[in-house]
Amino acid sequence: QPKYGIDLFKLESPLPGATLPARDGSPAHLKAQALFDEMGRICKTAGIPWVMLSAGVAPKQFVRVMEYAYAAGANGFLAGRAIWWEAMQHFPDLAKCSALLRQQGGATLAELEELTKRAGHTWQADYTAFDTLKAEGELCAAYA
C-alpha cells in the first residue's frame, strides 16, 4: 500500500535457482517465466522498481535467475553469496580468498554487468513527495 512508502522491492526467485531450465522456449521455460512475469506485473502495477536477490545460489545459477528476472522487467540485482561464497571457502587463507574474489567474483560480476547492460530495465526515481515534507516522519504520510 502506498502509505508504507516502499520505494524498492527486493525479491527472491519464485523457483530455486538450481531448478530453472534454460530459456529455450520449452514448456518448462515458459512455465518458469510465467512466475517471474507475475512478479514483474505486480511491481509494474504498483509502480515500484524491483531487484532480484541472489539468495545464496551458485554464480551460474544466479546469472540464469537474472535472465528470467530481466525478461520480466527487473531493474537490477543485489548479490552477496553468489559473488563471494566460493572464495570464502578458503578462509582463513586471506591471500587465497582475495585472489579468488578477484578471479571468480570478478568474473561473475562482469557477467552480471554485461547481462544488466543488455537486458536490465532502467528506472528514474521520483522524489517529488519530498517537496511536501516539513518534519521528520512525514515521508509515509506523503504517499497516503
Side-chain angles (χ1 to χ4, degrees):
Q1 295 181 10
K3 69 181 181 180
Y4 298 120
I6 295 169
D7 58 0
L8 178 71
F9 287 126
K10 299 183 288 185
L11 306 173
E12 290 188 10
S13 173
L15 296 169
T19 68
L20 287 175
R23 296 187 70 249
D24 59 5
S26 68
H29 157 225
L30 298 176
K31 184 177 180 180
Q33 188 64 58
L35 294 172
F36 280 85
D37 290 347
E38 180 61 13
M39 287 179 15
R41 185 196 65 73
I42 291 168
C43 296
K44 184 175 182 177
T45 299
I48 298 174
W50 60 290
V51 297
M52 188 62 56
L53 300 170
S54 62
V57 299
K60 292 297 179 192
Q61 293 169 349
F62 187 53
V63 170
R64 180 163 290 171
V65 166
M66 289 312 304
E67 290 171 350
Y68 276 90
Y70 284 143
N75 301 99
F77 65 89
L78 289 172
R81 288 170 286 179
I83 306 299
W84 55 256
W85 179 258
E86 292 177 42
M88 292 300 106
Q89 299 313 298
H90 300 281
F91 184 83
D93 184 342
L94 298 181
K96 190 162 189 173
C97 290
S98 179
L100 289 173
L101 275 172
R102 281 194 293 290
Q103 294 165 1
Q104 295 171 340
T108 299
L109 281 173
E111 189 172 3
L112 288 165
E113 176 186 24
E114 186 279 323
L115 177 61
T116 301
K117 286 179 179 178
R118 181 172 36 85
H121 300 271
T122 60
W123 61 277
Q124 184 66 38
D126 178 4
Y127 297 111
T128 56
F130 290 124
D131 296 338
T132 64
L133 301 181
K134 294 181 180 45
E136 184 177 342
E138 291 183 339
L139 179 61
C140 293
Y143 285 96

